[in-house]
Amino acid sequence: MALAPAHASSCPVSAVFNPITKVQWTCIFPITIGGVKVGTFDKLSNALDAQSSENPLCACRKGAAFWFGVKVSFWSPSRMVDVVTEPGCMMALGTDILPTHGKLQGSQSSISDGTNTRKMFAQMHYYISPVWAMLDMFTDLPCLENKGFDVALMTEVLPTWQSETLGEIIQPEGILFGNPAAGLACMADSAAAAAGKVLDPLFWCMGSWGATYPLGGDIHFDDSVEAWAGLAARGQFMMGRLGLSTISSADGCSDIPTPIWKKSRYKFQLLEPVKGGQCVNIGRSGSLWSSAKHAPGKDNAQFMLFNKVICCAGVSEP
């Protein structure tokens, strides 16, 4: 199997994150308050919001504290993900902080095996970026996290990201899904994602974006933008496996760990190299959203990750 020469884009210095202009604010909708939806919503929103429109009243207990109220849900822009061919390129900061002198470079290569498929390798950076807190807006609401901006993960320091073999050693369950039966299931996941539905039980599939495993920087692709999205989604899955990511519980009372992700709780918006005008569920076919999103010569991408927040907003009982 012969590979075409690899190439990597230089780090863009003009991609510093500006939450006011870069975020597609319509993606926070619909907002559900006590089972009543506010704002426009489409088929995708209907599928993903069913969980938060049920049981509009809620009651929670945490230790000695008890409170009751109404269930509130919305999509929160709270994380960012870079997918870069230039190691150390921190797109959110607009700078290259880790010169590697030609090592760990990304690539897009043609596989000369008669299948006309291509393979991408890229590094991934995961940021904690709670936009509401960064803009100092609605900080008094109990449903919003008040963390500051931070870099949570850089794959340049992870040997398992650089090697599929090492990744399979660390995540041996990935071997279970490298068989024809699992592949057929992913075809169903791809069809569902194109229709705006998310199949959480098929956690090893990312629809048209590829397979969740192995948790490394290599991904087979037909559409470069889909491949970027696939590596960004793997980053979210990895954060859950490392115990560094949680989701809201269905009753809105607490946050729960996600060693196996719930894909329906996330959607992505492309920020760079071309701003996307919509948010897409994991695995959504690029033919429905990636057109004209790959600027020539720009092979570094950045995504805003919206996560579904569900919380019980109310008053405490003494």
Side-chain angles (χ1 to χ4, degrees):
M1 181 175 66
L3 298 181
H7 65 277
S9 288
S10 59
C11 186
V13 297
S14 60
V16 178
F17 177 60
N18 183 334
I20 297 176
T21 59
K22 292 288 185 70
V23 175
Q24 184 66 29
W25 290 105
T26 55
C27 291
I28 69 173
F29 295 103
I31 299 172
T32 305
I33 304 174
V36 179
K37 291 184 178 180
V38 180
T40 58
F41 50 90
D42 54 18
K43 183 186 294 185
L44 170 61
S45 299
N46 283 331
L48 301 189
D49 286 336
Q51 56 196 329
S52 57
S53 60
E54 298 175 353
N55 301 322
L57 300 180
C58 55
C60 301
R61 178 181 295 277
K62 187 174 183 180
F66 173 79
W67 70 98
F68 64 92
V70 296
K71 194 180 294 185
V72 176
S73 72
F74 55 92
W75 290 96
S76 175
S78 59
R79 301 292 184 268
M80 283 192 300
V81 187
D82 290 344
V83 179
V84 297
T85 56
E86 182 65 27
C89 175
M90 311 300 288
M91 296 188 69
L93 306 177
T95 185
D96 188 342
I97 66 170
L98 187 68
T100 58
H101 308 291
K103 298 179 181 180
L104 305 178
Q105 293 282 351
S107 66
Q108 293 186 28
S109 304
S110 299
I111 302 176
S112 303
D113 61 355
T115 62
N116 295 321
T117 58
R118 291 181 291 168
K119 186 177 183 180
M120 175 186 289
F121 175 79
Q123 303 292 344
M124 184 274 299
H125 306 144
Y126 191 97
Y127 305 87
I128 297 173
S129 51
V131 172
W132 299 117
M134 293 167 65
L135 295 176
D136 197 26
M137 296 175 61
F138 311 119
T139 54
D140 56 337
L141 293 179
C143 303
L144 295 177
E145 63 179 345
N146 56 7
K147 297 179 181 178
F149 182 87
D150 198 6
V151 179
L153 185 65
M154 295 179 61
T155 57
E156 287 87 343
V157 302
L158 297 178
T160 55
W161 188 264
Q162 322 305 325
S163 168
E164 289 186 3
T165 303
L166 287 177
E168 290 175 352
I169 293 175
I170 299 299
Q171 306 288 349
E173 74 275 13
I175 300 175
L176 299 175
F177 305 112
N179 59 72
L184 288 174
C186 288
M187 293 177 62
D189 187 62
S190 180
K197 298 179 180 180
V198 180
L199 304 180
D200 282 332
L202 302 182
F203 64 88
W204 63 92
C205 304
M206 297 188 298
S208 296
W209 300 357
T212 306
Y213 295 96
L215 296 182
D218 288 302
I219 190 168
H220 291 264
F221 73 102
D222 294 316
D223 181 331
S224 296
V225 183
E226 280 187 355
W228 294 337
L231 291 176
R234 278 186 187 171
Q236 176 56 45
F237 182 84
M238 180 182 293
M239 291 296 290
R241 292 306 303 266
L242 294 174
L244 301 176
S245 178
T246 61
I247 62 172
S248 306
S249 61
D251 59 7
C253 295
S254 61
D255 293 325
I256 56 177
T258 55
I260 298 298
W261 65 352
K262 287 187 176 295
K263 296 181 292 183
S264 61
R265 294 296 192 93
Y266 307 105
K267 58 184 181 181
F268 286 87
Q269 177 215 341
L270 182 65
L271 300 175
E272 297 285 349
V274 179
K275 178 182 175 180
Q278 61 177 308
C279 287
V280 295
N281 54 302
I282 292 175
R284 192 166 180 81
S285 174
S287 62
L288 301 174
W289 65 277
S290 67
S291 177
K293 295 299 187 294
H294 188 179
K298 295 185 178 181
D299 294 315
N300 297 309
Q302 185 181 47
F303 292 86
M304 173 59 68
L305 174 62
F306 288 73
N307 70 292
K308 188 67 176 180
V309 174
I310 304 173
C311 73
C312 182
V315 294
S316 299
E317 283 292 306

